[in-house]
Amino acid sequence: MKFEAPAGKTFVDDPKIIGRATRRIDGPRKTTGTAPYAYERHDVVPGQVYGYIVGSAVAKGRIASMDLEAARKAPGVIAIVAATEHEPVGTSPFNTAPLFGGRDIAHYHQAIACVVAETFEQARAAAALIRTTYDRDRGEYELAKVKNGAKIARGWSVPEDVKRNGDFAGAFGAAPVQLDQTYTTPDEAHAMMEPFATVAAWEGEKLTLWTSNQMINWSRQALASILKMPRENIRLDSPFIGGGFGGKLFVRADAVLAALGARAAGRPVKIAMQRPLMFNNSTHRPATIQRLRIGADKDGKILAMGHECWSGNLPGGSAENGAAQTRSLYTGPDNLTVSYISDLDLPEGNAMRAPGEAVGHLALEVAMDELAEKLGMDPIDFRVLNEPDRVPGDPSKRFSGRHLVECLRQGADRFGWSARKATPASVRDGRWLVGLGVAAGYRGAPITKSAARVSIDAAGKVRVETDMTDIGTGSYTIIAQTAAECMGVPLEQVRVDLGDSRSPVSSGSGGQWGAASSTAGVYAACVELRGMIAAKFGMDPDRAAFESGRVSDGKATKTLAEVGPLSAEGEMDYGPFQDDYDMGTYAAHFAEVGVDAYTGEVRIRRMLAVCDAGRILNPLSARSQVIGAMVMSAGSALMEELVVDRRFGFFANHDLAGYEVPVHADIPHQEVVFLDTLDDVISPLKAKGVGELGICGPGAAIANAVYNATGVRVRDYPITLDKLIGKLPAVA
């Protein structure tokens, strides 16, 4: 079915199950260890053996030779797939970096071999015996050095190369109050709990991969292209995924080498990418340099806003579009937003939770605070004053739903913002300097075509099948809630099967589109099934009510068990009317920090997010999504940084000992409030995503709180104590 216009009243407008805080239906399996992740699929195919990936020891160049003899003779070795003996695999539209590219090396830890052995330990030991020599080339590894040669970016991550409205340069130059500052963010890693992992098995010319992947259909297409085989001969199965954050949107070397290794060995092969390779072999969030220029009149009205963002990537890669949110957040008649990209020989940069917007807020929302201070205005009042009624830069578009001011006002009341001291470094708690910070947040609310199959069995139980994935976000539960609501059955009467490419193609998990899109697809399938059931009982489908396992039209009542086995497929697609709207999600983020006056150590004391994200399908898992994103944002603000070895072109801290991430002791109480506003434009369920909104702004709120506490403005992230300690106010 096609969603052609803003939704009127539907049978889910007075929900009994959707919108209620619901414990995850997959929770018992995960807590008892019976939810199998990719590497644990021991029972899916017999005779599994182990693969171990060997990564390149240079960042740019060519393999001169590989001595494999000692490895081949090692105990337990069954096969070796080596770049010097295997033609390069194909490419796909979803990958910039070669996943197994022959002798040519594009980045450090590019996969150059896979050893297959009877045990993991044997594969690892044999891999250490491979001796490789290289012809090393000079590479470019520093964004600041290549910034001046950057190209204007355009592609999937930057839909418009340059966005101009009016005369930005003239308006900024004439503005009575101006801000012109540059902010930098470092490369960051996904470092998800479950590594990239795959079990691969061939049956003739057919390939099955039990893998850890967010986007089943994309990856099936990619593998068909890479392995040069028909897509219909490939099956992917990913029922449980231990975190993705965008890193598992695309096929990685584990899947490709498991397939090649299984073919070479004549046995099913399982591979879990080693943790050190996770950082350099796979994708990461690229570093940025961002320049913000904002001009305002003396009353605080923005007259001109310019946001330029530079990032680097492998040739042909996408940019980190840090200006993405700026086009939608604030008003101003004369605007400029543009992203630039430079060629770097570091590992591939690609999507990571809220690509572009996560780092863009770290610059934009700090710049807004800096200009508010210049104007002598409260940061919240300054933002409210510049709240637009039409989409900035595109007045032909309307907002499908926007309640940012309500988020800011309600958050200020809840957080006690009125007690904030505008003068920095004026609040002390013993040795701690204490400050409050705020930031607005925006993340687009894309929605995409999605399908599902819904069935009723002879006992009246409902089953949902779709290739949608659950990356720890709660997809199982919201899909079950949707089906239970639509079919009028208790939640425990619904079974959900996810992640199998044999099921109808869904939106997949990513881009904050998964929840709204996949549940809309389930809704469409339920509409089809409800119509079939009504027709079978001679009822008008528009009048038939489904409740408590029964269907009634006011004249007759039947149980769903009387339907007998019945199944329907449905797909939700969208009409062009949505092009007239900016569909987004909004938040106000607040943080209180303490900064040790002697050491510069930063401690977050409390955090609050007030979110406007349409109907909240499951407040319990939605809260988990937001607080997890807030933790990631805290990491970006205070500690996360991939350190580039500028001599040899790799991320030196490529493990969880050297790559710092927040732990329990770093994160205090977090509060999340949902406005639960319904968006009629986005889908019949009137729901948007929330998983990426939570990372858009909290880091800037923390940075603004650090400044309020200390009077020290750090624009080079992360805000580590070495950037504070020599500048803190004198201790009395």
Side-chain angles (χ1 to χ4, degrees):
M1 62 188 298
K2 188 176 284 287
F3 188 53
E4 294 282 11
K9 189 171 179 60
T10 71
F11 56 80
V12 293
D13 271 0
D14 299 309
K16 299 178 179 61
I17 299 174
I18 290 174
R20 295 188 180 275
T22 304
R23 293 186 178 183
R24 300 180 186 216
I25 63 172
D26 51 319
R29 295 194 66 186
K30 288 182 175 176
T31 54
T32 57
T34 56
Y37 292 90
Y39 200 68
E40 303 164 346
R41 304 298 295 274
H42 311 300
D43 60 336
V44 292
V45 61
Q48 296 176 24
V49 291
Y50 294 80
Y52 192 90
I53 300 172
V54 178
S56 168
V58 303
K60 187 175 177 65
R62 185 172 172 79
I63 298 171
S65 66
M66 292 182 77
D67 184 349
L68 306 170
E69 291 310 305
R72 283 203 168 102
K73 295 175 183 176
V77 171
I78 301 167
I80 297 177
V81 180
T84 52
E85 298 180 349
H86 196 287
E87 65 178 63
V89 296
T91 59
S92 86
F94 303 98
N95 299 95
T96 298
L99 298 183
F100 189 59
R103 290 178 179 266
D104 292 328
I105 302 300
H107 64 87
Y108 186 79
H109 270 174
Q110 176 180 313
I112 61 171
C114 177
V115 177
V116 179
E118 293 287 351
T119 70
F120 169 79
E121 291 79 9
Q122 288 172 333
R124 179 178 60 184
L129 300 176
I130 295 175
R131 295 291 176 262
T132 306
T133 61
Y134 303 89
D135 295 324
R136 189 194 305 267
D137 290 342
R138 179 182 174 278
E140 294 288 354
Y141 310 123
E142 295 183 62
L143 177 59
K145 280 190 174 181
V146 297
K147 172 176 173 281
N148 291 338
K151 307 178 288 289
I152 293 175
R154 190 181 177 108
W156 74 267
S157 66
V158 189
E160 296 166 314
D161 48 7
V162 182
K163 184 75 172 177
R164 284 191 181 91
N165 294 94
D167 176 17
F168 165 74
F172 178 74
V177 185
Q178 300 175 354
L179 175 89
D180 186 347
Q181 291 291 355
T182 298
Y183 308 82
T184 65
T185 64
D187 299 282
E188 293 181 21
H190 296 89
M192 68 287 289
M193 177 181 70
E194 180 196 16
F196 297 96
T198 301
V199 177
W202 292 87
E203 187 176 346
E205 293 302 310
K206 296 197 172 182
L207 171 66
T208 300
L209 295 102
W210 296 271
T211 189
S212 186
N213 189 272
Q214 297 174 225
M215 299 291 293
I216 299 301
N217 192 48
W218 283 9
S219 296
R220 195 174 175 218
Q221 293 177 55
L223 282 164
S225 176
I226 290 167
L227 299 176
K228 303 179 180 69
M229 60 184 292
R231 191 178 76 160
E232 56 269 22
N233 284 0
I234 300 172
R235 178 193 168 204
L236 265 67
D237 191 25
S238 299
F240 298 102
I241 301 166
F245 309 117
K248 293 176 182 173
L249 287 173
F250 317 107
V251 166
R252 301 310 311 169
D254 62 298
V256 173
L257 287 173
L260 296 177
R263 176 169 273 168
R267 300 268 297 276
V269 169
K270 66 192 316 173
I271 293 177
M273 188 181 290
Q274 308 93 281
R275 184 62 66 176
L277 263 69
M278 296 278 290
F279 294 82
N280 283 290
N281 176 279
S282 68
T283 60
H284 70 286
R285 191 196 301 281
T288 69
I289 300 170
Q290 300 179 58
R291 183 186 184 190
L292 264 295
R293 286 176 286 172
I294 312 175
D297 65 22
K298 291 182 180 179
D299 294 326
K301 197 69 176 174
I302 293 175
L303 304 174
M305 177 170 283
H307 191 165
E308 298 169 276
C309 180
W310 288 263
S311 62
N313 212 334
L314 292 169
S318 58
E320 187 73 3
N321 185 15
Q325 70 292 317
T326 307
R327 301 186 181 103
S328 295
L329 260 180
Y330 299 114
T331 189
D334 297 280
N335 297 318
L336 166 70
T337 54
V338 58
S339 287
Y340 304 93
I341 189 165
S342 299
D343 289 343
L344 286 177
D345 299 302
L346 293 173
E348 179 184 354
N350 216 317
M352 182 170 168
R353 197 173 196 171
E357 289 147 322
V359 292
H361 281 80
L362 288 168
L364 172 65
E365 286 301 299
V366 171
M368 289 292 289
D369 258 45
E370 293 200 58
L371 187 56
E373 185 179 46
K374 280 191 171 215
L375 290 159
M377 293 184 68
D378 177 86
I380 292 178
D381 291 341
F382 178 49
R383 288 171 171 85
V384 171
L385 176 66
N386 288 285
E387 172 70 6
D389 56 3
R390 288 282 196 170
V391 178
D394 194 351
S396 65
K397 284 192 174 185
R398 293 172 287 166
F399 296 108
S400 68
R402 176 175 171 130
H403 302 87
L404 176 57
V405 171
E406 187 179 346
C407 291
L408 288 164
R409 293 298 191 208
Q410 188 176 141
D413 289 343
R414 285 176 173 268
F415 204 68
W417 184 257
S418 61
R420 172 184 176 268
K421 303 297 183 185
T423 303
S426 59
V427 178
R428 284 306 250 308
D429 179 10
R431 65 186 291 154
W432 296 94
L433 301 163
V434 181
L436 303 183
V438 67
Y442 169 88
R443 168 65 178 165
I447 195 160
T448 188
K449 184 166 64 174
S450 194
R453 181 185 304 117
V454 180
S455 309
I456 299 279
D457 68 12
K461 293 185 178 180
V462 175
R463 180 183 182 185
V464 182
E465 298 166 277
T466 170
D467 78 355
M468 180 61 183
T469 51
D470 190 326
I471 58 175
T473 49
S475 299
Y476 275 101
T477 308
I478 59 172
I479 285 173
Q481 288 177 274
T482 303
E485 188 75 58
C486 291
M487 300 311 301
V489 299
L491 193 65
E492 57 269 19
Q493 292 287 95
V494 179
R495 168 183 168 179
V496 179
D497 294 327
L498 299 182
D500 193 330
S501 63
R502 296 177 299 186
S503 297
V505 175
S506 75
S507 60
S509 296
Q512 198 172 262
W513 61 64
S517 301
S518 64
T519 53
V522 173
Y523 171 92
C526 289
V527 168
E528 294 292 329
L529 186 57
R530 283 167 61 110
M532 293 169 64
I533 293 170
K536 183 167 183 176
F537 292 142
M539 298 177 181
D540 181 348
D542 294 328
R543 294 181 177 276
F546 288 72
E547 190 172 357
S548 302
R550 295 177 174 84
V551 56
S552 174
D553 64 354
K555 299 176 182 177
T557 299
K558 299 286 186 179
T559 67
L560 292 184
E562 294 177 69
V563 173
L566 196 61
S567 179
E569 290 191 18
E571 179 181 81
M572 184 64 74
D573 203 352
Y574 301 89
F577 80 95
Q578 290 183 334
D579 296 340
D580 297 332
Y581 295 89
D582 183 294
M583 298 187 297
T585 58
Y586 304 87
H589 293 286
F590 294 82
E592 178 182 317
V593 305
V595 181
D596 191 297
Y598 297 91
T599 68
E601 176 189 2
V602 178
R603 285 288 179 188
I604 302 171
R605 294 185 162 202
R606 57 193 176 104
M607 300 176 77
L608 165 68
V610 182
C611 301
D612 168 28
R615 170 174 275 141
I616 303 302
L617 298 167
N618 182 0
L620 190 63
S621 57
R623 178 183 181 275
S624 294
Q625 281 288 283
V626 175
I627 65 172
M630 292 163 74
V631 170
M632 288 184 72
S633 198
S636 296
L638 298 178
M639 60 192 71
E640 291 191 45
E641 178 180 13
L642 283 169
V643 178
V644 179
D645 186 314
R646 295 182 176 89
R647 303 162 302 162
F648 301 115
F650 67 96
F651 300 129
N653 53 336
H654 47 247
D655 56 37
L656 289 174
Y659 184 80
E660 302 290 342
V661 296
V663 297
H664 284 300
D666 298 311
I667 304 298
H669 175 71
Q670 297 166 293
E671 185 180 359
V672 179
V673 176
F674 296 113
L675 299 186
D676 203 22
T677 50
L678 306 185
D679 192 322
D680 291 335
V681 171
I682 198 159
S683 82
L685 272 68
K686 304 177 183 180
K688 303 177 185 178
V690 74
E692 301 190 356
L693 178 64
I695 200 173
C696 296
I702 292 166
N704 290 331
V706 169
Y707 174 74
N708 182 245
T710 65
V712 181
R713 181 68 74 181
V714 179
R715 302 182 184 92
D716 179 23
Y717 292 97
I719 304 172
T720 46
L721 57 86
D722 56 298
K723 297 168 186 173
L724 294 170
I725 194 167
K727 304 171 185 175
L728 295 173
V731 179

